[in-house]
């Protein structure tokens, strides 16, 4: 369903997830239901924010390495030099 972008199978999957006896799967299904429009858009549209999320993750890693001791100027220099 995810790799082939088949959003029409989402409703069947949610029904099957609710019939299973795994409480964490029920929680996931409820969360998907709350934001169903965004999930369907993610399953059907060709655009992805994966590259942006990767850069945000990299910046957060650099920031964590500094243990919160540096200000924005030093963080900016480290981010630019790490590229």
């Amino acid at each position: 369903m995810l790799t082939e972008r088949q959003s029409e199978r989402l409703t069947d999957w949610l029904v099957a997830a609710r019939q299973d006896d795994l409480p964490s799967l029920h929680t996931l299904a409820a969360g998907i239901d709350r934001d169903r429009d965004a999930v369907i858009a993610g399953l059907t549209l060709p655009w992805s924010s994966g590259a942006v999320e990767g850069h945000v993750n990299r910046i957060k890693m650099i920031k964590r390495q500094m243990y919160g001791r540096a200000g924005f100027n030093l963080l900016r220099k480290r981010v630019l030099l790490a590229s």
Side-chain angles (χ1 to χ4, degrees):
M1 178 172 58
L2 294 175
T3 58
E4 297 173 7
R5 298 191 181 280
Q6 298 175 340
S7 64
E8 63 276 359
R9 293 177 51 198
L10 179 64
T11 304
D12 296 336
W13 185 88
L14 290 172
V15 169
R18 285 193 185 92
Q19 291 174 351
D20 222 345
D21 65 344
L22 297 171
S24 57
L25 205 54
H26 296 176
T27 305
L28 175 64
I32 289 173
D33 259 344
R34 279 192 301 272
D35 207 7
R36 184 182 286 255
D37 291 338
V39 173
I40 290 175
L43 286 172
T44 56
L45 298 175
W47 301 290
S48 171
S49 62
V52 174
E53 292 296 330
H55 288 297
V56 168
N57 191 27
R58 182 177 58 86
I59 291 169
K60 285 183 178 182
M61 181 200 62
I62 293 171
K63 187 176 179 180
R64 278 193 300 271
Q65 288 175 343
M66 296 188 300
Y67 301 104
R69 292 181 291 210
F72 178 75
N73 289 334
L74 180 58
L75 176 62
R76 180 177 181 272
K77 286 179 184 176
R78 288 205 52 196
V79 167
L80 292 175
L81 289 174
S83 297

